[in-house]
Amino acid sequence: MAPSGPGSVRRRCRRVLYWIPVVFISLLLGWSYYAYAIQLCIVSMENVGEQVVCLIAYHLLFAMFVWSYWKTIFTLPMNPSKEFHLSYAEKELLEREPRGEAHQEVLRRAAKDLPIYTRTMSGAIRYCDRCQLIKPDRCHHCSVCDKCILKMDHHCPWVNNCVGFSNYKFFLLFLAYSLLYCLFIAATDLQYFIKFWTNGLPDTQAKFHIMFLFFAAAMFSVSLSSLFGYHCWLVSKNKSTLEAFRSPVFRHGTDKNGFSLGFSKNMRQVFGDEKKYWLLPVFSSLGDGCSFPTCLVNQDPEQPSTPAGMNSTLKTPENHQFPAKPLRESQSHLLMDSQSWTENTANPGKGKAGMSNPALTMENET
Ligand SMILES: [Zn+2]
Ligand SMILES: [Zn+2]
């Protein structure tokens, strides 16, 4: 029996309220369709050629916008796999142990074979009390979803969903297509908007739709372009929104670019290797969301399998290495596909080198 009480009723009410922003966007989108396709294109445009071109381009953008929006909303966020959950015995042990070093010892033992490199600010293993699991790198607990979300970016009220590993690409495409949608409307509506103010439009209700359409499109273009620009910067640096606010802490310390592998690999981690899927809201991100390559792990004294004497530093592109601990099977060749963990780039300045064997080379970041 599902628990029913004031608490669960409140939760259910809250869940319904969370859909209000999505309903608002959907209504706005529905109105914009009516205003643009019917009132502007069909009623107000006199040139048939312009009408056809505008309608075709508009419907294309509209479809891509709706598709990516839909995927962002309805793609379930991914949660840590069962290896990250504590066993029953470990949970019991944790409950018995007082907080502090003994607690950490249990977690350290449980995390021994997990591909995790990040820690809390105090250097402890990242553990979620609520979900009772060891948090994979870049995973955070979302208080709205009440779950740990892989590579959590942020909880977005406009899509009533957590933006994370499973739908970050869709979210970016949603921003891109909604921006294009607004820019296209503003650009093609501009001449009719000017006519509105110079009394060049017939006195019908279409003229008000045309005016409001331009205002709405211009206003959303401004806010969307800044948000989209910010996320493009995040992708280029391989950061999530949360990581931009608080840099990840690795075992050797904080590093704001700890997951960055260079521009093209950062892009491919989100969009995938196959260019044909880049602009489509179909899942093509690389990896499994639980483990991420980082060029920092070879500085880790706790990594026994790191070849001795490498003495590599972050600043030298010659000695980049990938994690000594094996990443998971589902990682793509961006993260695996390597015979050797070390790279031998005789000419690190050559941009193409990174493309030919992405697992072994890393672009030099400034
Ligand atoms: Zn959690
Ligand atoms: Zn959430």
Side-chain angles (χ1 to χ4, degrees), residues 70-118:
W70 181 274
K71 292 283 280 191
T72 315
I73 297 171
F74 294 107
T75 301
L76 289 176
M78 269 167 69
N79 315 114
S81 54
K82 63 177 188 307
E83 297 99 298
F84 291 87
H85 289 258
L86 293 190
S87 66
Y88 183 73
E90 286 164 337
K91 279 183 209 166
E92 282 220 310
L93 212 56
L94 265 196
E95 270 162 33
R96 273 208 304 273
E97 298 290 356
R99 294 252 158 193
E101 194 41 43
H103 214 257
Q104 269 301 301
E105 191 47 46
V106 176
L107 293 179
R108 260 200 296 273
R109 240 177 295 136
K112 190 165 53 70
D113 296 320
L114 295 174
I116 52 170
Y117 302 107
T118 53

Side-chain angles (χ1 to χ4, degrees), residues 318-329:
E318 286 83 8
N319 282 328
H320 285 312
Q321 285 175 280
F322 273 83
K325 267 187 190 176
L327 290 161
R328 297 155 61 106
E329 321 79 60

Side-chain angles (χ1 to χ4, degrees), residues 276-293:
K276 62 182 177 198
Y277 296 125
W278 283 5
L279 299 180
L280 299 177
V282 291
F283 188 81
S284 58
S285 301
L286 301 180
D288 59 4
C290 283
S291 50
F292 295 89

Side-chain angles (χ1 to χ4, degrees), residues 142 144-145 152 155 161-162:
C142 173
V144 182
C145 304
M152 180 176 169
H155 187 94
N161 198 3
C162 240

